[in-house]
Structure formats: C-alpha cells, structure tokens
Amino acid sequence: MTEHRVDTGSAHSARIYDYILGGDDHYPADREAGDAMCREWPALPVHMRANRDFMHRAVRYLAREAGIRQFLDIGTGIPTSPNLHEIAQGAAPGARVVYVDNDPLVLALSRRLLSGTPEGRTVYVEADMRDPAAVLGAPGFRDTLDLSEPVALTVIAIVHFMLDEHDAVGIVRRLLEPLPSGSCLAMSVGTADFAPDEVGRVAREYAARGMPMRLRTHAEAAEFFAGLDLAEPGVVQVHKWRPNRTDGTESGGESIRDEDIAMYGAVARKP
C-alpha cells in the first residue's frame, strides 16, 4: 500500500483556502502564505467566501431546481463544512456524491467527506483530474453513479492551477463525455479581469511557493461551456450568479464590489 505523506512545511493551496475561510486544517506555512497574499490583496477573503457561496448556491440549484441527484466533484479540497454533499443531501437526502482528489491531505481528511445521509451515498475517489480515464474508471465512480441518469459535474476553483499544457478545457470535456443528456456542469474559473494588479500579485505569491496559476478572461472561461445550455445569468462573476438575498450565510451580492472578485462562475446543461 502506498504511503501518503502530508507536507506540513510548505504552503498548500487547499490549506491556504481553508485558513482564509476560517477552517482548522492548516499549518504555519499556510498561515504565513495566506497573510502575505491578503497583504497584497486585502479583498482575498471576500473573494474566497464569494466563491464558496457560489458553490453552495449552484449545488442547491442543481438539486432543487434542476432535479439532479448525482454529483461528481472534481478537485474536492479540504472538506470545510458545509461541504458539497451536505448541501446536496440537505436539499435531496437521497443524493449520491463522488468526491475526487489526488491530494494526500484530502485523503487523510476523507472520513469527513463520507458522513452523508443514510438515504444517499458519499464516496471518495483518489485520482488526478488530469487523467480523466482514471477518474471515470475508478470503482467508486462506477459503483456510485448511474450513468443512465443525469450527473452534475462540479469543478470549483481548481482550473486556475492548470496551465495551458494541461488542456483544462479538454479535460473537462472528457469528464463530461460519458455523462448522459440532462447532466450539468458547474464551474468557477479564476480571472484577473477586474483587479489585474492585485490578483497578479497574489498569483506571484502562489507561484513563489510552487503553485503557478493560469488566470482566464471571460472568453476563455466561456470556452468550458461551449456546446452546453447555460442557465441564467450565464458566465458571470461568482457573486452575481443567482445571489441569495434572504439567506444570511450568503453574500447576497449587493455589498460586494466587482473588483473584489476574481472568479467567473456558471452552470450549464448538457443537451
């Protein structure tokens, strides 16, 4: 059996995200990196919370309005609560969720990912999204999801860590390919369109710690959804995607400045 070691001496993107969101799964290197990034762009916590809120709203939409009962979450990261399965199964207790990540840290914390409802099912698959065949061929995927019924593919805040040579658009399309008509894609895609100087400095902080980024324009973000039917309002900054003005845990959208958000988000249906 392969031994998985968690490197606590170097900053890690998922732990930085967890730290800025107020989670508990981080180490001094992550806190140092997060603090340095926030000095470069003080709006970074607002941006990260808005991305998390987008994931919550998108999953609720998929479960409640689109009627999706199966979820394939790519690049799961640290299971900061409430995580995707909690949102999906809160709306539809019988929902089935497959989490996919190749990170030893996520593997170490995977028990928290598996505490779903008795009616539903929650599974963790260790695989790299850059190898779609490994994801789609994993026993946990095949045993959990019924490909005769629609599946929601969720790719949240991960493709900005995929460079041009990784062909992120091609990878997402290969993951979508076996999913039946009526399946959906929900994504958030990093951008520097609204605060190029500040976001550029944050990107340099990540790169200095071995985490280079590829930030995308609106047109590049829209490429992920080519051939799909976009739900309103289309590809927009995450705080503008169906903002929830009644739920106090969500941002609501009104008080967030565009220049404080560096992520596009959208949900689309496969014809």
Side-chain angles (χ1 to χ4, degrees):
M1 182 177 178
T2 304
E3 183 179 359
H4 297 274
R5 295 184 179 275
V6 176
D7 177 7
T8 62
S10 302
H12 184 288
S13 59
R15 294 197 307 253
I16 295 168
Y17 188 54
D18 180 76
Y19 167 58
I20 292 176
L21 286 175
D24 301 316
D25 297 303
H26 44 76
Y27 297 94
D30 309 302
R31 296 191 287 273
E32 181 277 327
D35 290 343
M37 292 168 188
C38 289
R39 284 194 295 272
E40 295 294 350
W41 189 34
L44 185 60
V46 174
H47 156 78
M48 288 186 170
R49 285 193 295 270
N51 178 73
R52 191 73 175 175
D53 287 349
F54 163 76
M55 184 272 282
H56 292 167
R57 295 194 305 278
V59 171
R60 287 194 192 102
Y61 164 80
L62 289 163
R64 291 177 180 170
E65 297 185 43
I68 300 290
R69 296 295 179 265
Q70 304 187 106
F71 293 81
L72 174 61
D73 184 57
I74 302 293
T76 295
I78 290 172
T80 307
S81 186
N83 213 44
L84 188 147
H85 72 281
E86 297 170 272
I87 301 296
Q89 292 173 351
R96 297 189 294 279
V97 178
V98 174
Y99 285 116
V100 178
D101 210 305
N102 69 331
D103 191 319
L105 177 65
V106 179
L107 178 66
L109 298 170
S110 62
R111 279 190 294 274
R112 261 197 267 158
L113 293 168
L114 306 181
S115 57
T117 59
E119 304 96 317
R121 188 172 179 197
T122 309
V123 170
Y124 176 73
V125 168
E126 185 182 8
D128 191 326
M129 74 174 291
R130 292 171 294 186
D131 185 0
V135 174
L136 300 170
F141 171 85
R142 291 290 178 180
D143 294 346
T144 306
L145 302 184
D146 176 0
L147 295 187
S148 69
E149 298 291 336
V151 176
L153 172 65
T154 57
V155 187
I156 305 297
I158 187 68
V159 294
H160 53 276
F161 291 115
M162 301 183 72
L163 307 182
D164 287 343
E165 57 264 33
H166 297 137
D167 185 21
V169 172
I171 285 170
V172 171
R173 287 178 180 162
R174 289 195 290 278
L175 290 167
L176 271 173
E177 186 176 5
L179 307 184
S181 174
S183 294
C184 293
L185 171 66
M187 286 189 70
S188 60
V189 181
T191 185
D193 282 356
F194 299 92
D197 293 341
E198 295 87 342
V199 176
R201 292 197 297 269
V202 171
R204 286 192 289 275
E205 290 286 345
Y206 272 103
R209 293 166 174 82
M211 297 171 280
M213 283 185 171
R214 169 66 163 88
L215 299 165
R216 292 172 170 85
T217 64
H218 184 271
E220 289 171 326
E223 287 181 26
F224 288 98
F225 301 94
L228 306 178
D229 298 327
L230 281 163
E232 290 294 336
V235 181
V236 296
Q237 285 176 284
V238 288
H239 66 301
K240 294 181 175 180
W241 196 89
R242 297 180 177 233
N244 185 338
R245 293 173 173 82
T246 60
D247 182 349
T249 66
E250 306 266 355
S251 60
E254 294 95 347
S255 63
I256 297 179
R257 304 183 308 162
D258 289 356
E259 56 265 37
D260 290 345
I261 302 298
M263 200 80 75
Y264 288 115
V267 176
R269 181 183 181 275
K270 182 177 179 180

